[in-house]
Amino acid sequence: MSKSRLIVLISGNGSNLQAIINQIESGDINANIASVISNKADAYGLQRAKKAGIETAIVDHTQYESRELFDHFLAKVIDQTAPDIIILAGFMRILTEGFVMRYAGKLINIHPSLLPLYRGLHTHKRALHDKATQHGASVHFVTPELDSGAVIVQGVISVKNNDTEETLATRVHQIEHIIYPQAVKLLTENHVKLRANRIYINNQRLQQPKQYGLKK
Ligand code: GRF
């Protein structure tokens, strides 16, 4: 099977990018990252990419007058490599509907909650406030409505009595580093289609997201 071509979009630390790089380097994911694109020149993830010998590009959103112009230019850069999958990994920009539709079924994101719970920001704080017993992260297809696309994989953690936003964030990150590579592997090894916001893997409807847990 030929290697899948990936593009990863980041804005910051890039620990999820690193987790995916590690799985590719270990041979577990049969893919190449064609390029890592950041909207911020100082994103640490760019250094991670360079260290792994991956091409990088910066598309600085502050240089564009509108979201549409930024997305238009971003799409131009992406299309130079004709990727199979575009991975948002801590990419802190809201994308226009035109951009999202252009890459429908190829564009995935990781969100720090068990979607459909806690779309948007401050997910750990909101989970603690609700005294949720479980929390986690979800890898989902990106659709025009924020954090509402079909979920491929979820990582579930138990919330402890003494958890704070920080301790929860740490464990959610740990589970993210497991599930994002798993989701990418699944997409590269199977025929996966998104139709009417439903996921079909090798023509079988995925009834519910695949779930992973932390060992402790
Ligand atoms: C992750 O927590 C992810 O859920 C959110 O952004 C964060 C990115 O972290 N979308 P990193 O840059 O991969 O370390």
Side-chain angles (χ1 to χ4, degrees):
M1 213 167 57
S2 65
K3 278 185 195 289
S4 301
R5 211 174 8 242
L6 316 179
I7 282 200
V8 185
L9 303 189
I10 60 165
S11 299
N13 181 26
S15 66
N16 281 288
L17 163 68
Q18 188 67 58
I20 294 165
I21 291 173
N22 293 348
Q23 290 306 100
I24 291 174
E25 287 182 347
S26 76
D28 198 36
I29 299 177
N30 187 29
N32 274 324
I33 301 179
S35 173
V36 170
I37 306 173
S38 173
N39 65 312
K40 292 195 168 176
D42 61 355
Y44 180 63
L46 289 171
Q47 292 185 42
R48 297 180 189 269
K50 283 180 188 148
K51 202 166 161 210
I54 299 166
E55 271 191 41
T56 61
I58 297 160
V59 184
D60 179 353
H61 62 279
T62 63
Q63 301 300 309
Y64 298 87
E65 270 171 34
S66 65
R67 264 186 212 288
E68 284 72 21
L69 282 174
F70 170 71
D71 283 5
H72 180 74
F73 191 75
L74 185 61
K76 267 192 161 176
V77 176
I78 289 173
D79 291 347
Q80 283 166 10
T81 41
D84 300 301
I85 309 171
I86 301 159
I87 300 168
L88 305 181
F91 184 67
M92 302 305 285
R93 300 292 305 162
I94 292 177
L95 295 160
T96 55
E97 180 164 354
F99 183 96
V100 170
M101 296 314 290
R102 181 185 185 98
Y103 300 111
K106 285 187 175 190
L107 187 59
I108 59 173
N109 181 43
I110 190 157
H111 180 76
S113 80
L114 295 174
L115 289 172
L117 295 173
Y118 310 123
R119 295 175 174 138
L121 297 174
H122 310 301
T123 59
H124 311 316
K125 191 179 185 171
R126 288 154 66 198
L128 286 175
H129 178 265
D130 289 353
K131 300 198 173 8
T133 55
Q134 290 195 318
H135 188 44
S138 308
V139 179
H140 64 94
F141 281 106
V142 179
T143 52
E145 201 184 331
L146 193 68
D147 302 328
S148 297
V151 176
I152 309 159
V153 175
Q154 285 185 320
V156 183
I157 63 166
S158 302
V159 181
K160 299 173 186 167
N161 286 335
N162 58 353
D163 263 325
T164 62
E165 272 185 65
E166 290 69 32
T167 58
L168 260 191
T170 301
R171 293 209 307 294
V172 169
H173 250 118
Q174 281 173 3
I175 198 88
E176 287 186 352
H177 300 160
I178 297 169
I179 64 170
Y180 220 176
Q182 285 297 339
V184 173
K185 184 176 163 71
L186 188 129
L187 294 185
T188 57
E189 290 179 356
N190 298 277
H191 180 73
V192 181
K193 284 269 162 247
L194 181 69
R195 269 184 252 130
N197 211 23
R198 290 181 177 151
I199 298 169
Y200 296 83
I201 301 179
N202 303 327
N203 292 320
Q204 294 278 337
R205 165 124 185 249
L206 180 67
Q207 300 291 343
Q208 54 188 37
K210 294 187 184 288
Q211 289 204 333
Y212 293 82
L214 274 188
K215 292 224 169 65
K216 54 173 181 151

